[in-house]
Amino acid sequence: MNYRERIRDYKRIIVKVGTTSLTYENGRFNLKKMERFARVLTDLRNRGIDIVLVSSGAIAVGAEKLGLDERPRDVIGKQASSAVGQAILMQMYERFFGEYNQKIAQILLTKPVFDAEHKKRNASNTFNKLFELNVIPIVNENDTVATDEFNEFSDNDTLSAYVAAIVKGDLLIILSDIDGMYTADPNKDESAEIIDVVPEITDEIYSIAGGSASIFGTGGMITKVQAADFLGKRGIDMVIASGESPDVIHDILEGNRIGTLFVGNK
Ligand code: GLU
């Protein structure tokens, strides 16, 4: 079985983009990339594929708007920045997707939604209705109310995995500043190579992720492997790839060897 090729038949894809894939270091929008994301995702929607975009960036964009020198570190500061930034983020998406006449929706979620059966059902019904209406839902954590440190996601890798599970997606694509999972830290070890396919999440995979390679990405490699493990048990694939060029989404869906594919247990 070629795990890459079967992706070509997938009909429901969740794409997670991290802050670094959407903004420059100063928190300003990378307009070229946002435009490209909107174009690629609309094209997939036009092909009849259901798409969910899980987008970070609210805190960084809010901090920039507020004129803060750096991204706040304290919880309340982050929440305030996110409240400002989320609205701006959606306004930008509205503009870019609007170029292609693609309808979008905002869905803000928190961890307790996934812990309560009826809330989970409500959320999943809403997603399904939006797919039916040809809309691309754009998801973020509802940062402003996600205050309880034991009860929040804290990174969108985990959130996107939960979303993929409730919409019963075929594949989650995590786009970040690392182009895949390496056998060792590529900055320190010249022989480090990208792992093409992980057919099963073993202790060895966890120990590679927990090692030096975990410095990469917002949530780190360990949260990504945990997300893949969670999804694998639910029969959902996951790919980690670089968010440098939004066109990689097309390449992944064509079954090309991009980043690292964690195979769902189908
Ligand atoms: N929810 C946060 C934001 O929009 C991002 C969390 C993350 O980067 O994983 O800024």
Side-chain angles (χ1 to χ4, degrees):
M1 157 82 68
N2 186 323
Y3 293 124
R4 290 282 188 179
E5 275 176 21
R6 68 179 185 177
I7 293 179
R8 289 186 196 150
D9 300 323
Y10 287 176
K11 291 280 173 284
R12 189 165 286 184
I13 313 292
I14 296 82
V15 177
K16 183 253 168 180
V17 286
T19 304
T20 50
S21 305
L22 294 172
T23 59
Y24 293 107
E25 261 177 37
N26 59 12
R28 299 223 170 138
F29 285 112
N30 184 329
L31 299 179
K32 211 165 102 188
K33 273 204 208 163
M34 283 192 92
E35 195 169 29
R36 201 72 202 161
F37 271 119
R39 189 185 151 106
V40 169
L41 296 179
T42 302
D43 191 48
L44 294 174
R45 183 67 247 181
N46 290 350
R47 262 167 58 186
I49 296 176
D50 293 335
I51 299 289
V52 179
L53 173 61
V54 177
S55 173
S56 306
I59 299 173
V61 167
E64 197 276 326
K65 177 79 178 183
L66 292 168
L68 307 181
D69 290 337
E70 58 169 20
R71 198 186 147 110
R73 291 167 207 270
D74 60 311
V75 175
I76 298 178
K78 280 187 198 164
Q79 288 173 321
S81 289
S82 180
V84 173
Q86 181 64 27
I88 305 169
L89 193 61
M90 287 311 294
Q91 193 186 17
M92 292 305 279
Y93 277 128
E94 189 65 53
R95 179 174 298 184
F96 286 122
F97 280 99
E99 278 288 312
Y100 303 104
N101 215 9
Q102 173 61 55
K103 290 164 275 186
I104 57 167
Q106 170 185 264
I107 299 192
L108 298 177
L109 295 169
T110 49
K111 181 92 182 2
V113 171
F114 297 90
D115 298 333
E117 233 15 82
H118 71 286
K119 289 187 186 173
K120 218 159 70 174
R121 204 169 41 242
N122 284 343
S124 114
N125 289 342
T126 306
F127 277 111
N128 284 326
K129 190 68 193 174
L130 289 168
F131 295 143
E132 212 181 287
L133 294 168
N134 234 337
V135 176
I136 295 183
I138 302 183
V139 178
N140 198 355
E141 184 164 9
N142 193 355
D143 291 328
T144 318
V145 295
T147 44
D148 181 350
E149 64 180 296
F150 300 107
N151 224 350
E152 62 183 310
F153 285 113
S154 75
D155 68 82
N156 279 0
D157 295 336
T158 314
L159 170 65
S160 59
Y162 276 63
V163 169
I166 63 162
V167 302
K168 297 191 166 49
D170 296 307
L171 167 72
L172 166 65
I173 301 176
I174 293 191
L175 298 177
S176 74
D177 44 11
I178 181 153
D179 51 0
M181 181 170 175
Y182 281 80
T183 49
D185 182 346
N187 287 328
K188 291 184 189 149
D189 186 343
E190 272 184 19
S191 66
E193 282 174 24
I194 285 204
I195 305 172
D196 173 28
V197 174
V198 177
E200 199 188 342
I201 311 251
T202 56
D203 290 346
E204 196 197 343
I205 293 294
Y206 265 111
S207 77
I208 295 174
S212 45
S214 66
I215 51 167
F216 299 103
T218 323
M221 192 50 77
I222 198 85
T223 62
K224 292 175 177 62
V225 169
Q226 279 163 349
D229 200 357
F230 171 86
L231 290 174
K233 295 193 171 87
R234 288 159 179 80
I236 301 169
D237 286 358
M238 189 180 112
V239 169
I240 301 175
S242 162
E244 196 46 44
S245 159
D247 287 305
V248 292
I249 301 171
H250 278 314
D251 294 336
I252 293 166
L253 296 186
E254 273 162 26
N256 295 332
R257 200 176 155 159
I258 306 279
T260 302
L261 165 64
F262 296 85
V263 179
N265 207 342
K266 293 210 170 61

